[in-house]
Amino acid sequence: MERIVVGISGSSGIILGLKAIRILIEEGFWVELIVSKAAFLVATQELGKDYGNLDKLLNHFTSEEQTKIAAHSFQDFCAGAASGSFITKAMFNKKLG
């Protein structure tokens, strides 16, 4: 299964990011997810505490969808997706605001 890195970094990006992840999973991709601290802060203000961290964000996906998402902390510099040699099909990063 090919990997797509999804980075969510800006205001209102959470909702678009969730939609993009669902589409990518439906199309058969594995998703490497990284969400910035700023995106979580804005999402909490705009959408509520259900979007305040990675665990809460992942709860918006079914258990089957969650098996196709590798979520990484924005502070995890050892995550595969943080490396320039990480093999991926593409990277999707939409900053809005």
Side-chain angles (χ1 to χ4, degrees):
M1 189 178 297
E2 294 180 302
R3 298 176 185 189
I4 303 282
V5 176
V6 175
I8 301 174
S9 59
S11 62
S12 306
I14 294 283
I15 295 300
L16 294 176
L18 294 177
K19 289 179 182 181
I21 290 167
R22 283 204 172 87
I23 291 168
L24 291 168
I25 290 171
E26 288 172 8
E27 293 297 319
F29 292 100
W30 178 273
V31 174
E32 301 282 337
L33 174 62
I34 304 169
V35 183
S36 74
K37 182 178 180 180
F40 282 126
L41 292 172
V42 172
T44 300
Q45 290 177 346
E46 291 182 355
L47 304 168
K49 293 181 180 181
D50 285 351
Y51 295 85
N53 61 45
L54 275 177
D55 291 333
K56 290 179 180 181
L57 187 67
L58 290 173
N59 286 336
H60 292 274
F61 294 97
T62 67
S63 56
E64 183 179 340
E65 289 171 328
Q66 288 181 30
T67 65
K68 297 174 181 156
I69 301 169
H72 307 286
S73 167
F74 63 91
Q75 296 174 315
D76 186 0
F77 298 105
C78 294
S83 171
S85 63
F86 186 71
I87 298 172
T88 180
K89 178 79 172 173
M91 180 175 191
F92 178 81
N93 182 4
K94 184 64 177 170
K95 181 178 178 185
L96 302 173

